[in-house]
Amino acid sequence: MYNSEFFFQAFIFLAAAVISVPLAKKLGLGSVLGYLLAGVLIGPYVLGLINYDTDKVMHFAEFGVVLMLFVIGLELQPSLLWKMRKAIFGLGGLQVLITAIVIAAFAMLFGFRINRAVGIGLILALSSTAIVLQTLTEKGLLKNTAGQSAFSVLLFQDISVVPILAIIPLLAAMGAPVTIAESQLNEIAGFVSLPGWMQLLIIFASIAVIIVGGQFIARHIFRLVAETGMREIFTALVLLLVVGIALLMNKIGLSPALGTFLAGVVLANNEYRHELETTIDPFKGLLLGLFFVSVGASINFKLLLENPSMILGFTILLIVIKFAVLLLLGRLFKLRKGYDYLFAFLLAQSSEFAFVLISFSQQSLLFDEKTAGLLMLTVTLSMAISPLLLIFNDKAVAPILSRKQNKREPEWVDNAENPVIIAGFGRFGLAVGRLLIANKVKVTIIDSNPTNVEVLRKFGFKLFYGDVTRPQVLEQAGVKNARLIILSMAEYDDAIKVAGYLRKKYPRLKIMARAKDIYHTFEFFRQNVETVQNEVFSSAADLGEKALVYLGLTPYEAYRATRTFKHHEKQVINDLYHSWKEDESNFIQDSRRFSEQLAEILETEKEYGIHDSDYAWDVNSIRAESQQKNSD
Amino acid sequence: MKKILILFAHPALHKSKINNILIKSVLHEPGITVNNLYEKYPDFYIDIIAEQQLLLEHDIIVWQHPFYWYSGPALLKEWFDLVLQHGFAYGEKGRRLEGKKAMSVITTGGRREIYSARGRNHFTMNEFLVPYRQSANLCRMEYLPPFVVHGAHTILPEEIVNAASGYKRLMQTLRDGLIDDTVLHSVEYLNDIKL
């Protein structure tokens, strides 16, 4: 191997991620914190395993943010984006403006000149797209109102990077009338030095290229490449597209993330959308991880230890200011109680764009080296702290708020009085629950998967986290006063146990159950649970119906045939159950081999023969009769 | 004693004003079977064999339903289409229903006066019911005049109660064979017979 050093570094990064992220998730800390801690661990101040310049790694890894926005764009229909316009420009605009002003004011208090103070304010007003979006996706919050508001603000911040880049040299010139060497400025931001109208023209032209290209040309290219059947070339094409757009955006001074986001939105209606998403996803995830690791590794502990109280003080002040402004805006824009806190905690850190902007400012001679270093450290620390803020919100703030809310809204008080309980809220229970809830039935849901519970609770479902096999959990969920319990869980043996327990303890409670197969169905029958639904039979039969239509049956003919088949299945099951009860040894229960079931089912089916329920629509017998009459 | 089968067809019983009360009045009568079609076959998948069996077990067949578009609700038509099979109910060899009585019990929104040549609906109830009459004829059954409750839109609660008790008395009388066939056929509606 000619580059063992590179591989060693890659090994360190990957190992750090693989070890610390699962650990962090197990501890309920979220992946971002895991990556950050991994970074700190392998960074120069703890284990010192990284030889590369972490800044360079970070700049490379920032591409993960670009990819992430592309993926998010893909999931966002243009119409939805249009609906969010008020939030983007109103909420986002106010957030950047007010936060920048407040931070600038504080900076002046600490003795910075006004131009520098404004620069600091603008740079620190931005929040971290990477951290926030990663967190939102992980927690499934992207679609709820707090998540959408946060996303809108991030979008506006991305847009505002452009004017901030343009303003920084002006601020620098304001402070020191010494002219910056034109060539140097060109080197930094070649484009920024062009006359304003030309910049605008180029920006609009580039955006037009993305929209037109995405709308009319991309589809054909994707198809051409997809038809070659070579996955890696498709992957290459997608990466080429994103890299190309990022380059273009860099050239014209727009944020690459914004450009690819736009491209994503344009492609959101494209039939290759899912292909694009799945192709980009692993790259996105790894690069983002790398980015977080490098943020962790770049925390300058030396600087921190030189002046810990000041830097921590600044960081906390920064977070407090941002939080206060965000909370205020959340209230102003009427975010629901609890969501306003979530929104504020989400966005209270500083942005990865700050790294770029700070070094740009340093090169533009707005900041000296010491200020820049200080700012960098503050930004990094705020990013490192931000996952902790969310944990704080989840564990401390949200419970208090929801308790208060319970007092105010009595319909939230007693989940225990709902007439229906659904035990197990996975794919199956969800469908059942949605139907009931859509018909205004009050439902209490018990699920043993904490992540399901978290997500669903955020969407307003009334959920209990708990193990249904424990009587106390059932009691708490209000089984005593319920009319019906639906056992929709995938823990099949547990479901039988629960059914048996409920039958004895609450003989008047109606029980309905999801069954894995016929033997499972029979187990329920034996517990006197009659309403049992095979978890796949109906869906499979419905697909069969579609197949019949495709094969030439008329839709109604196929519908009737499927109906007949479903009713026939009931008879088969009943018949099998009786013979099963009489002689259990006939059935190899323990193995529960599907082939055994198959033989049994087919055997019984042969005996029955399916009655032709459409016989009455058959005119053959009538014709035969009238022909006979004619011949008589 | 005759056995009566009421084939009851109402797709939205929870919204019914009259049928609900009529059917309840005969629900627990001995010798009367109420066969609630929409309850049994919400998916229109009629169990033909079971329905034919029911017909064979009874002597008087009653079709009770609201009057939709001058006819019965869709599921009742499906019942006719599927259950009255050739070779069972009609045709050379289809004589299984021969000799039974059949009749309609109907509720309408409009009042009795508008079901006449000069009324808004231009035809009488008995004219509208010709398809039922002839279906019964084809099955060699004897079709009786209908029992009709008009004016669902304007009817008063006490009138509904009266109609229900009249219905119940009629069914009991038919079941017990206390009324002569010639009397039955002498009226326009069976409501008009003083019991």
Side-chain angles (χ1 to χ4, degrees):
Chain A
M1 281 294 161
Y2 56 88
N3 199 347
S4 63
E5 179 56 25
F6 170 78
F7 281 107
F8 176 69
Q9 288 297 310
F11 178 81
I12 293 295
F13 273 100
L14 291 172
V18 169
I19 294 169
S20 55
V21 172
L23 217 66
K25 286 215 79 164
K26 259 268 174 321
L27 296 171
L29 300 176
S31 66
V32 176
L33 207 55
Y35 283 122
L36 288 171
L37 289 175
V40 171
L41 215 64
I42 61 173
Y45 298 96
V46 184
L47 296 177
L49 289 172
I50 307 177
N51 298 329
Y52 277 84
D53 185 353
T54 46
D55 280 359
K56 273 195 190 136
V57 176
M58 200 192 302
H59 281 312
F60 172 67
E62 258 168 35
F63 193 60
V65 182
V66 174
L67 293 179
M68 172 156 70
L69 272 148
F70 181 64
V71 171
I72 286 169
L74 281 176
E75 283 170 10
L76 205 66
Q77 308 285 327
S79 54
L80 187 66
L81 188 64
W82 180 244
K83 264 193 221 146
M84 288 164 60
R85 65 191 185 279
K86 235 166 124 185
I88 296 173
F89 291 100
L91 190 56
L94 282 175
Q95 186 271 336
V96 172
L97 191 71
I98 298 176
T99 315
I101 290 173
V102 177
I103 294 178
F106 273 93
M108 282 174 74
L109 272 182
F110 287 110
F112 284 101
R113 294 247 302 277
I114 182 156
N115 58 336
R116 287 188 182 165
V118 170
I120 292 172
L122 286 172
I123 290 170
L124 295 185
L126 307 183
S127 313
S128 169
T129 311
I131 290 181
V132 177
L133 288 189
Q134 175 79 4
T135 312
L136 286 177
T137 322
E138 209 170 287
K139 297 194 161 201
L141 292 175
L142 208 48
K143 299 264 155 73
N144 93 357
T145 40
Q148 295 247 320
S149 305
F151 181 65
S152 306
V153 171
L154 289 170
L155 259 188
F156 182 84
Q157 293 178 350
D158 272 2
I159 298 169
S160 61
V161 168
V162 186
I164 293 177
L165 271 173
I167 289 169
I168 285 172
L170 299 179
L171 288 171
M174 216 177 95
V178 203
T179 45
I180 311 161
E182 194 68 18
S183 62
Q184 193 190 350
L185 191 61
N186 272 335
E187 202 182 294
I188 301 158
F191 171 83
V192 178
S193 57
L194 285 172
W197 61 271
M198 210 136 112
Q199 289 182 25
L200 265 178
L201 205 71
I202 295 175
I203 288 175
F204 279 119
S206 311
I207 291 175
V209 165
I210 292 179
I211 293 177
V212 172
Q215 199 69 272
F216 302 106
I217 304 167
R219 171 173 294 126
H220 302 292
I221 300 176
F222 288 142
R223 204 194 44 242
L224 274 177
V225 173
E227 274 167 4
T228 64
M230 293 168 72
R231 274 217 62 98
E232 69 275 17
I233 293 299
F234 192 83
T235 308
L237 173 69
V238 180
L239 285 175
L240 179 71
L241 175 83
V242 180
V243 170
I245 291 170
L247 271 178
L248 175 70
M249 290 293 123
N250 252 337
K251 242 332 181 246
I252 64 169
L254 280 180
S255 117
L258 195 66
T260 48
F261 170 72
L262 184 67
V265 174
V266 174
L267 293 174
N269 289 323
N270 193 293
E271 60 267 39
Y272 289 96
R273 195 186 104 189
H274 288 291
E275 279 301 301
L276 295 171
E277 261 189 79
T278 44
T279 307
I280 288 286
D281 234 29
F283 293 101
K284 176 201 90 175
L286 277 178
L287 280 174
L288 270 182
L290 185 58
F291 172 73
F292 295 131
V293 171
S294 52
V295 169
S298 71
I299 295 179
N300 188 341
F301 283 96
K302 207 174 113 215
L303 194 58
L304 179 63
L305 289 177
E306 273 170 21
N307 214 335
S309 54
M310 184 179 86
I311 287 170
L312 283 177
F314 277 154
T315 308
I316 290 167
L317 182 64
L318 172 68
I319 289 175
V320 170
I321 293 172
K322 296 194 78 160
F323 177 82
V325 173
L326 286 162
L327 189 63
L328 186 84
L329 287 174
R331 293 269 165 86
L332 203 68
F333 278 75
K334 306 214 160 50
L335 274 180
R336 232 182 61 193
K337 260 257 159 312
Y339 278 5
D340 48 0
Y341 278 89
L342 177 62
F343 168 73
F345 277 119
L346 268 171
L347 292 170
Q349 77 295 88
S350 218
S351 165
E352 59 275 1
F353 283 123
F355 299 130
V356 183
L357 291 172
I358 291 168
S359 57
F360 178 62
S361 307
Q362 197 185 345
Q363 286 160 320
S364 309
L365 303 179
L366 179 64
F367 302 147
D368 53 37
E369 206 189 318
K370 188 167 160 261
T371 315
L374 197 82
L375 284 174
M376 285 276 195
L377 190 54
T378 311
V379 169
T380 317
L381 282 177
S382 78
M383 286 168 78
I385 290 172
S386 97
L388 295 172
L389 293 178
L390 275 180
I391 295 172
F392 175 68
N393 179 51
D394 279 356
K395 296 267 142 57
V397 180
I400 295 173
L401 285 177
S402 67
R403 228 176 292 143
K404 267 193 199 157
Q405 210 167 15
N406 284 350
K407 270 180 204 144
R408 244 175 290 139
E409 292 171 39
E411 70 267 23
W412 281 82
V413 175
D414 45 12
N415 297 2
E417 293 304 312
N418 286 343
V420 180
I421 297 173
I422 296 182
F425 212 58
R427 292 170 302 148
F428 195 96
L430 178 65
V432 180
R434 279 173 55 203
L435 177 63
L436 295 183
I437 289 164
N439 285 285
K440 310 246 181 319
V441 177
K442 292 205 162 185
V443 176
T444 298
I445 294 154
I446 312 176
D447 198 279
S448 55
N449 183 340
T451 37
N452 284 356
V453 171
E454 278 298 303
V455 172
L456 290 163
R457 199 173 270 162
K458 293 215 163 88
F459 281 89
F461 288 92
K462 288 176 188 173
L463 272 148
F464 269 97
Y465 164 69
D467 178 2
V468 220
T469 52
R470 289 173 49 216
Q472 307 94 288
V473 173
L474 288 164
E475 297 276 317
Q476 263 175 5
V479 73
K480 221 158 77 189
N481 299 315
R483 287 178 56 199
L484 163 67
I485 185 165
I486 297 172
L487 303 174
S488 54
M489 61 236 242
E491 292 82 8
Y492 303 106
D493 295 330
D494 287 351
I496 302 281
K497 267 185 238 154
V498 175
Y501 165 77
L502 289 172
R503 255 292 146 269
K504 267 184 223 107
K505 186 100 191 274
Y506 306 99
R508 286 175 56 209
L509 176 70
K510 175 82 180 170
I511 302 173
M512 297 185 180
R514 157 197 186 175
K516 186 176 93 182
D517 54 22
I518 55 170
Y519 296 107
H520 196 226
T521 307
F522 295 164
E523 299 277 3
F524 279 118
F525 283 170
R526 196 158 58 172
Q527 307 281 358
N528 286 322
V529 176
E530 301 100 29
T531 315
V532 183
Q533 184 77 33
N534 182 296
E535 62 184 0
V536 293
F537 180 77
S538 279
S539 309
D542 287 348
L543 188 63
E545 179 183 336
K546 286 174 185 144
L548 289 176
V549 174
Y550 177 75
L551 293 172
L553 266 65
T554 67
Y556 196 61
E557 210 179 344
Y559 170 76
R560 294 283 301 182
T562 311
R563 278 272 133 215
T564 303
F565 182 65
K566 285 182 179 175
H567 282 266
H568 163 76
E569 172 80 359
K570 265 189 215 158
Q571 282 187 331
V572 171
I573 296 282
N574 271 330
D575 203 63
L576 275 178
Y577 176 58
H578 289 299
S579 48
W580 180 77
K581 244 188 353 191
E582 279 161 25
D583 187 7
E584 279 190 34
S585 61
N586 275 346
F587 291 75
I588 305 166
Q589 269 201 73
D590 292 331
S591 61
R592 287 192 171 179
R593 294 217 333 262
F594 179 68
S595 58
E596 306 273 342
Q597 286 187 33
L598 195 66
E600 284 295 334
I601 292 173
L602 295 180
E603 203 60 43
T604 324
E605 192 146 281
K606 231 170 40 190
E607 284 165 31
Y608 273 104
I610 297 179
H611 174 73
D612 183 2
S613 59
D614 296 353
Y615 169 78
W617 288 321
D618 200 333
V619 289
N620 284 340
S621 67
I622 307 179
R623 284 180 55 174
E625 193 175 300
S626 43
Q627 270 162 11
Q628 203 182 352
K629 263 187 219 155
N630 287 345
S631 64
D632 284 349
Chain B
M1 201 173 89
K2 300 252 169 51
K3 290 180 81 180
I4 300 179
L5 175 65
I6 301 177
L7 294 155
F8 180 63
H10 198 304
L13 201 53
H14 55 282
K15 292 183 179 168
S16 145
K17 274 197 199 138
I18 303 176
N19 266 300
N20 205 354
I21 296 173
L22 289 187
I23 201 72
K24 271 184 190 147
S25 72
V26 294
L27 207 50
H28 303 293
E29 277 297 303
I32 297 179
T33 307
V34 174
N35 187 21
N36 189 339
L37 292 178
Y38 273 95
E39 192 174 280
K40 255 165 98 180
Y41 307 117
D43 63 349
F44 277 52
Y45 192 88
I46 294 173
D47 185 340
I48 295 157
I49 294 173
E51 290 302 313
Q52 289 178 343
Q53 190 56 38
L54 270 177
L55 286 174
L56 295 177
E57 288 164 8
H58 293 80
D59 310 299
I60 302 174
I61 312 302
V62 177
W63 297 299
Q64 182 186 338
H65 55 90
F67 212 41
Y68 289 169
W69 288 101
Y70 312 106
S71 184
L75 181 54
L76 184 63
K77 181 65 167 65
E78 186 87 345
W79 181 93
F80 272 89
D81 290 353
L82 292 178
V83 178
L84 303 182
Q85 278 173 345
H86 179 250
F88 169 80
Y90 70 100
E92 283 293 276
K93 291 170 195 143
R95 291 166 177 271
R96 309 291 297 276
L97 304 180
E98 192 167 358
K100 294 182 192 297
K101 285 186 169 65
M103 68 173 286
S104 296
V105 173
I106 289 173
T107 59
T108 75
R111 287 193 307 275
R112 187 167 182 169
E113 305 87 81
I114 70 170
Y115 288 89
S116 68
R118 270 167 302 159
R120 200 147 40 87
N121 280 331
H122 299 297
F123 300 96
T124 66
M125 282 305 290
N126 276 303
E127 284 166 335
F128 281 124
L129 291 173
V130 160
Y132 291 90
R133 176 179 298 279
Q134 179 50 28
S135 298
N137 287 344
L138 187 66
C139 300
R140 300 178 174 89
M141 294 195 286
E142 177 193 348
Y143 189 68
L144 304 176
F147 181 92
V148 186
V149 182
H150 283 294
H153 304 321
T154 51
I155 196 165
L156 301 168
E158 57 266 30
E159 290 176 310
I160 299 178
V161 173
N162 284 341
S165 62
Y167 179 42
K168 185 176 173 182
R169 268 202 306 283
L170 175 67
M171 286 298 122
Q172 288 166 339
T173 314
L174 287 173
R175 175 192 67 196
D176 302 336
L178 298 175
I179 195 164
D180 199 67
D181 274 11
T182 50
V183 179
L184 285 176
H185 286 286
S186 68
V187 290
E188 190 190 4
Y189 292 173
L190 291 185
N191 314 44
D192 301 340
I193 300 174
K194 291 273 171 287
L195 294 171

